[in-house]
Amino acid sequence: MTTPSQTVGPFFGYGLPYEGGSELVPGWRPDAIRVRGRVLDGAGEPVPDALVEIWQADGSGEIPRRPGGLVRAGHDFSGFGRCPTDAAGGYWFGTVKPGPVGEGAPYIAVLVFARGLLKPVFTRLYFPEDGAAHGTDPLLAEVPAERRATLIAEREGEREYRFDIHLQGERETVFLGF
Amino acid sequence: MTDPHPPYLSPGYRSTVLRAPARELVMPKLGPDSVELTSPVFGHQELGRLDNDLTRQHSGEPIGERIIVTGRVLDGAGRPVPDALVEVWQANAAGRYPHLADQHPAPLDPNFTGAGRCLTDADGRYRFVTIKPGAYPWRNHHNAWRPAHIHFSVFGTAFTQRLVTQMYFPGDPLFPFDPIFQSIPRQEDREKLICRFDMDTTVPEWALGHQWDIVLGDTPMEA
């Protein structure tokens, strides 16, 4: 019964991105973090026509149940963000670090759509400072040790993280089969 | 149940070759967790009143065949999904997108952008008024043409149900030649992407109507 997926194609740029899509919270908030990275193909080349979406809990680990993902009012936290990649394959989000939900380590759910992807890839972004919690995270426990690092962002500065997404190749990001 | 989706790697569609993940996907034993089992909430106040009418976004009327496209968003159990965000984008009647990367030498229409969105009603129903898009060439292989289509993006009740796809029109002669349409392994699944002309949706003296239901994957808790 399920409707099959098709690629987002190269021309979504005037249809899906919207103003403020990357900025879940304004940068002046003391708890704001910044995540940036690149989407790369199997040859290590940037993917300039990808769309990255994130979905996450708020700082206290509560899953947002309120609108505000499309129109950023500057106060409520909607938990959803969307960013098209630029010519260098780059994307960024201004958000808050999610609190832990349940037993697992805190993470941001990440979806990537692109020309050449007939269906999206689904992954998780974990934070480098949560090493202890990673040890008991149920999902990370199922990921082969040598690939686990692909799910953990790098710290780039005070409240700044880097998370590159390799669609293919030696450092292919772990994608989830939901 | 057989997977209705295309595989990542579908070499006839050349861009998949370097972009398809090659490693096996990780299937967590516990399945998605509570973040992945929920989805963003969107509100009517975030959308414009005319966002679902692609023929009224400019001062004049767009060129082309005016159509109505409507249907329901359903979950894997056939239940309607209300308040689902449905976004669409498409080429104009001449097969041209208002995108810098689109080099097809067909005219742009100053009265047609080709993007719209709406939230489904309590019955899971969406409705768009638009112009029938044209077919257009692409550079995948010699003499490659995409069948006319409207791109759809849909949110379900779980982030794992997120769907981006394309809706096609009945009887398109380009179907057998299109590697994107053909990337879906089974013919019966391909046909789920083809809308149905519907006289009851058609508005006399105004626009032809088409029905197309969108069925999202199982709500993962039930999988």
Side-chain angles (χ1 to χ4, degrees), chain B residues 17 27 38 76 86 102 133 136 141 151-152 158 161 182 200 205:
Chain B
V17 173
M27 309 275 202
T38 50
V86 180
D102 186 357
Y136 60 85
H141 55 273
H151 293 270
F152 272 73
Q161 289 176 309
Q182 294 293 335
D200 291 334
E205 318 294 327

Side-chain angles (χ1 to χ4, degrees), chain B residues 1-213:
Chain B
M1 200 175 77
T2 317
D3 184 2
H5 300 297
Y8 285 116
L9 181 62
S10 188
Y13 174 24
R14 280 193 312 171
S15 308
T16 65
V17 173
L18 278 174
R19 294 183 173 188
R23 311 277 196 116
E24 223 165 300
L25 304 183
V26 170
M27 309 275 202
K29 279 190 214 72
L30 298 174
D33 84 355
S34 49
V35 173
E36 293 149 338
L37 286 172
T38 50
S39 188
V41 174
F42 299 103
H44 285 277
Q45 67 276 23
E46 298 186 272
L47 279 69
R49 197 172 52 87
L50 290 175
D51 280 3
N52 71 333
D53 189 338
L54 286 70
T55 67
R56 292 170 71 186
Q57 296 174 346
H58 299 274
S59 56
E61 288 251 20
I63 299 289
E65 179 187 330
R66 190 188 298 115
I67 58 171
I68 297 158
V69 178
T70 182
R72 296 203 301 162
V73 177
L74 304 166
D75 69 11
R79 289 176 299 221
V81 183
D83 298 318
L85 178 65
V86 180
E87 298 163 282
V88 294
W89 70 104
Q90 62 167 89
N92 69 20
R96 179 81 189 264
Y97 289 90
H99 190 287
L100 284 177
D102 186 357
Q103 299 297 309
H104 179 32
L108 285 167
D109 183 342
N111 289 315
F112 191 73
T113 302
R117 56 190 186 179
C118 71
L119 290 177
T120 56
D121 66 14
D123 201 27
R125 182 162 292 277
Y126 71 85
R127 184 176 189 274
F128 291 100
V129 176
T130 185
I131 292 295
K132 190 168 182 186
Y136 60 85
W138 59 314
R139 294 181 176 163
N140 187 69
H141 55 273
H142 174 67
N143 212 7
W145 293 80
R146 293 298 329 281
H149 59 274
I150 298 178
H151 293 270
F152 272 73
S153 159
V154 187
F155 287 78
T157 55
F159 206 47
T160 51
Q161 289 176 309
R162 189 84 179 76
L163 176 72
V164 167
T165 190
Q166 302 179 24
M167 186 205 83
Y168 301 92
F169 293 86
D172 197 310
L174 293 169
F175 288 147
F177 308 104
D178 180 39
I180 293 181
F181 183 73
Q182 294 293 335
S183 68
I184 298 163
R186 297 190 307 169
Q187 180 61 23
E188 61 195 276
D189 289 320
R190 295 173 197 146
E191 283 167 9
K192 290 174 192 155
L193 296 183
I194 304 172
C195 66
R196 174 174 62 82
F197 168 71
D198 184 37
M199 198 51 110
D200 291 334
T201 307
T202 297
V203 177
E205 318 294 327
W206 193 66
L208 296 182
H210 299 271
Q211 288 276 344
W212 185 58
D213 287 347

